[in-house]
Amino acid sequence: MSRRKFDEMSDYDSGRDRKRRRTDAVEIEDRLESLIIRVGEKSTSSLESNLEGLASVLEADINNYKGKILKILSDCAVKMPEKTTIYTTLVGLLNAKNYNFGGEFVDMMARKLKEAVKACMWKTARYVLRFFSDLVNCHVISTNSLLHLLHTFLDTARDDNSPQVRSDTYVYAVLSCLPWVGRELYEKKEQDLERLLKHIEIYVRKRTRKHVPGLRVWRSDRPHPQEEYLDCLWAQICKLRSDMWQEKHIARPYVAFDSILCEALQHNIPPITLPPHHQDNTYTFPWVVFRLFDYTDCPEGPVLPGAHSIERYLIEEHLHNIVKEYHLERKQCAAVLLDFPLKHKIPLEYMIVEVVMAELFHLPVPRYLEICYGSLLIELCKLQPATMPQVLAQAVELLFDRIDTMNVCCFDRFVNWFAYHLSNFQFKWSWDDWLDAAQLDPMHPRAKFIIEVLLKAMRLSYRQRIAEVVPEQFDCFVPQKNEPVYKFSNDTADADLPGLDTAQRLEAVIKAKGTSAEVVQALGELPNPLRENEDQEPPHNPLQVQVFVQTILHLGSKSFSHAFAGISKFLKVFESLVGGNEEAQILVMKEMHEVWNSHQQMMVMLCDKFLRTQIVSCASMANWVFSKEMTAEFTKNYIWEILHGTIRKMNKHVAKLQREVNDARERRTGNESDESSSDEEEQRPRPSEEEIERMEERLETAQADQKNLFLIIFQRFIMILSEHLVRCDTDGRDFNTHWYRWTIGRLHQIFMMHNTQVERYSQTLSTLLFTQDLEPHILDAFNQFVALRS
């Protein structure tokens, strides 16, 4: 064999060896990752023996795979908080065997904490702080070092130049880690612990609570006081302190290794400087703790932990984390919830229902789509048919009993969820228990709830089906038939009705597949009632708008698709009749309502279509909602479905233009030779400065429209509420009527549901509309909204 051939074969073999070594290394890293992530899962061996074995395996591989092991453990610490004590025990065992590894892990977690705080990732920061706290129990971190870090967090409460939500976020992080380390601090640093608690107590007492009323599910504190999250956790920590820091929920596997861990050397957490407040920082949004059940509601079996017991906090947090982790997989989520580790020690079904309802009713908005919670509850009923449906039925009865004082946002969600839930169970319900509601004013929350549920249920079924399942006494609640009213009909129209002949000719043109030009020609015969002289042409012809809208909706009344097709086909006709004229646009909406006033879903869908096709502007839609013609409809849910849809459409438009501007700016300033950019990115032309300026102009116009939309909505709210209050004062009547509570509730809802967008214009709103001389009841709604971020 030649020397050259031998060298080539040697190169091949060495390359193959390198490839094999890389493959082996990846396999070992994957195996280590699997072992670490799965520790604590169900096993034939005890948790302690599994931890001991895993620690030995990791110690043997530390020299070769230290970086990978550190990364996996640090990720598990924040991504699997329910296994905090398992991972702290594992780190403690590794630290006892390898002091340098323990130090590197503490340094890595400190860096993770700094990054989380800087990036406003508050949940991550809280879990790192909790992990540090539990590492004190494992003799990895010194108590003095932890106390110093906790005081660093609490020092934010003394910063008068930052908003309260910032201090709240840091104080909550400190409070939430005390259940893990409280006992250790009490036994070894009692005076330091008391000084820490005194610091927190002073802060909790002085903080403002203006924001709380806007976040409550109910206006009343009966039967359960509705506590803000920080107040509630502080009360739970105080109860834990009075119990000598003894709790019954946290599993502490490190106790079994105390003789090993106590011999280990401890580390100090590196000094951490918290970044100052910046106006672009976002903080944890405050919330009010949801309470539905107490121990008397679940008399059989285990007792429900008290509202101020630390177990209630720990269990609820764990359940919320399960929902967060598995919310995209309802079957798995339901299974994991029902397989909760302490399920035999607590009334699990009650606590699950309360937590899912808390998620559903969370203000200002739920964390996930509302349908997520509905499908999860259905899955829970399927998996636990013996108990879950009864607990859920009990929850519905309690919610219905307390509906008189329910927040309007939560009322809407309750309606939507209950109608959806009934549709999955053949609409069977103990309706007879609610017969008293038939005698109430239709504006009363109980009567209104049943009306709105049946309307929503009809969207998921059909009218006859709904009429059959409810008792006869509820006939007054059953929705009317979805039939269009065409005022130019041959059978019902008055012969002298203006536009009747043209409407009939127009109907024939459209049925004969006439063009837009032919339709405009047919409408051209109609006189303009706004014309006062021959010299001046009015901006629009209301009679043409009436005839065209009525006819096109009448001919498209067979289905949504028919209606949409008719509108799309004759868009040019709409443009010629309506254009940018607001009066004409509002008239389109009035005629649409006149045709379809018995079919709420059709009106919602048509409004969406008119907005998408730009036949009607968002501002015109808002003005129509608040018009005098809609007074009778004003408190009905579908009207607010339309208005919120209008606001969302405007918000999405602004957000889209903002993304385009940001993207263009990045491409303009980016380095063309950046190797990390994709081929597709490189092929896209870099926008010129003029193009970006045009994009920014469009964005500014859209933002001006958005601001104008909110100004219209809030101005109309102020007008109608002020008129009501003045009228009641003049007549000597109580202003706090059903109408007033629904309307002020809708004002709160606008602030809550669109808080991010409204917040941009809060200064303008404060200057122009919500001034200090405004009626206090109306001004309170604005002040509560502002307090959410102050």
Side-chain angles (χ1 to χ4, degrees), residues 214-217 356-371 373-374 377 399 403 406-421 449 453 456 637 746 748-749 752-753 755:
L215 296 170
R216 292 161 61 109
V217 175
V356 176
M357 290 293 180
E359 290 271 359
L360 176 62
F361 294 135
H362 181 75
L363 293 167
V365 292
R367 289 197 290 177
Y368 315 116
L369 294 175
E370 289 178 39
I371 192 73
Y373 308 113
L377 288 168
L399 291 170
I403 205 168
M406 185 178 261
N407 182 297
V408 171
C409 292
C410 300
F411 177 90
D412 285 357
R413 295 179 211 167
F414 185 23
V415 166
N416 294 340
W417 165 73
F418 190 55
Y420 168 75
H421 191 78
F449 174 75
V453 164
K456 282 286 183 180
N637 282 20
R746 293 299 178 186
H748 278 286
Q749 188 180 39
M752 285 295 165
M753 285 182 67
N755 64 85

Side-chain angles (χ1 to χ4, degrees), residues 580-599:
N581 186 279
E582 186 172 294
E583 287 183 26
Q585 292 177 4
I586 293 174
L587 185 57
V588 169
M589 303 308 300
K590 288 178 180 177
E591 296 305 314
M592 180 274 297
H593 181 260
E594 191 171 317
V595 173
W596 279 119
N597 68 81
S598 65
H599 196 334

Side-chain angles (χ1 to χ4, degrees), residues 434-656:
W434 293 352
L435 288 179
D436 291 348
Q439 310 302 319
L440 297 172
D441 179 342
M443 292 272 277
H444 189 285
R446 296 191 186 199
K448 192 164 180 54
F449 174 75
I450 297 172
I451 292 169
E452 295 293 349
V453 164
L454 296 183
L455 281 163
K456 282 286 183 180
M458 195 168 73
R459 294 191 191 186
L460 301 167
S461 182
Y462 53 97
R463 183 184 180 279
Q464 190 56 38
R465 178 82 180 93
I466 304 304
E468 288 169 358
V469 296
V470 297
E472 192 176 326
Q473 292 91 326
F474 280 3
D475 284 351
C476 57
F477 294 150
V478 174
Q480 57 191 34
K481 290 182 179 179
N482 294 337
E483 294 178 344
V485 177
Y486 179 47
K487 70 180 178 184
F488 297 109
S489 168
N490 279 330
D491 301 329
T492 57
D494 188 335
D496 298 329
L497 181 66
L500 178 61
D501 293 339
T502 303
Q504 291 169 0
R505 276 195 296 278
L506 182 62
E507 195 173 334
V509 168
I510 295 173
K511 284 181 177 178
K513 302 191 185 304
T515 63
S516 294
E518 290 172 318
V519 169
V520 170
Q521 185 180 359
L523 291 168
E525 304 169 1
L526 291 168
N528 193 331
L530 297 180
R531 179 176 289 172
E532 295 177 355
N533 56 62
E534 293 295 327
D535 300 331
Q536 194 172 7
E537 184 65 33
H540 74 287
N541 185 327
L543 190 54
Q544 286 182 345
V545 174
Q546 288 176 0
V547 169
F548 177 66
V549 173
Q550 286 263 343
T551 305
I552 201 74
L553 293 182
H554 163 65
L555 292 174
S557 63
K558 192 172 182 181
S559 68
F560 295 124
S561 301
H562 285 76
F564 295 166
I567 292 168
S568 298
K569 182 177 179 180
F570 295 107
L571 267 182
K572 288 184 178 177
V573 181
F574 275 107
E575 287 172 12
S576 66
L577 297 180
V578 178
N581 186 279
E582 186 172 294
E583 287 183 26
Q585 292 177 4
I586 293 174
L587 185 57
V588 169
M589 303 308 300
K590 288 178 180 177
E591 296 305 314
M592 180 274 297
H593 181 260
E594 191 171 317
V595 173
W596 279 119
N597 68 81
S598 65
H599 196 334
Q600 293 185 1
Q601 189 178 12
M602 178 64 87
M603 286 189 283
V604 170
M605 301 297 282
L606 286 172
C607 287
D608 182 70
K609 182 68 174 177
F610 288 144
L611 288 170
R612 284 178 186 276
T613 52
Q614 299 181 356
I615 292 169
V616 177
S617 69
C618 293
S620 298
M621 189 69 74
N623 277 318
W624 169 71
V625 166
F626 285 94
S627 64
K628 281 188 164 49
E629 289 82 0
M630 297 303 291
T631 301
E633 307 289 293
F634 192 69
T635 60
K636 295 180 179 178
N637 282 20
Y638 84 94
I639 282 293
W640 300 97
E641 191 178 347
I642 290 169
L643 188 61
H644 289 303
T646 303
I647 297 172
R648 276 194 293 269
K649 202 161 290 322
M650 175 61 79
N651 295 345
K652 285 179 181 178
H653 178 56
V654 172
K656 176 174 173 285

Side-chain angles (χ1 to χ4, degrees), residues 23-188:
T23 305
D24 290 345
V26 170
E27 287 179 358
I28 292 171
E29 287 180 354
D30 289 345
R31 182 174 62 85
L32 290 175
E33 185 171 4
S34 176
L35 287 170
I36 294 171
I37 289 174
R38 295 176 62 185
V39 66
E41 293 181 5
K42 287 182 179 178
S43 167
T44 52
S45 305
S46 67
L47 174 60
E48 288 75 14
S49 65
N50 285 339
L51 281 169
E52 198 168 17
L54 179 57
S56 298
V57 170
L58 295 179
E59 189 205 1
D61 286 321
I62 277 177
N63 290 335
N64 296 323
Y65 303 101
K66 185 197 296 180
K68 182 69 174 178
I69 294 170
L70 283 169
K71 185 179 185 310
I72 297 168
L73 284 171
S74 65
D75 286 345
C76 288
V78 296
K79 292 179 180 176
M80 305 173 79
E82 68 281 359
K83 292 162 71 170
T84 291
T85 56
I86 294 173
Y87 289 116
T88 52
T89 304
L90 181 58
V91 172
L93 291 171
L94 290 170
N95 181 62
K97 295 170 185 285
N98 188 324
Y99 177 75
N100 290 333
F101 177 84
E104 288 186 49
F105 178 79
V106 172
D107 289 345
M108 178 177 268
M109 292 299 286
R111 287 196 299 274
K112 191 179 278 281
L113 179 59
K114 285 180 185 176
E115 291 165 5
V117 169
K118 187 178 179 181
C120 297
M121 297 166 61
W122 302 114
K123 187 164 280 191
T124 298
R126 199 167 76 244
Y127 289 151
V128 173
L129 192 65
R130 179 181 298 179
F131 205 83
F132 276 153
S133 301
D134 207 45
L135 285 176
V136 170
N137 298 321
C138 302
H139 304 278
V140 176
I141 289 175
S142 66
T143 52
N144 285 337
S145 175
L146 176 70
L147 283 165
H148 184 266
L149 178 59
L150 296 181
H151 276 293
T152 301
F153 268 54
L154 290 181
D155 285 343
T156 58
R158 297 194 179 102
D159 185 357
D160 295 329
N161 296 319
S162 65
Q164 178 176 292
V165 284
R166 177 175 183 260
S167 302
D168 284 354
T169 300
Y170 283 113
V171 172
Y172 182 70
V174 172
L175 281 173
S176 67
C177 71
L178 289 179
W180 276 260
V181 75
R183 181 70 186 177
E184 185 76 5
L185 295 177
Y186 171 68
E187 290 178 350
K188 295 181 179 175

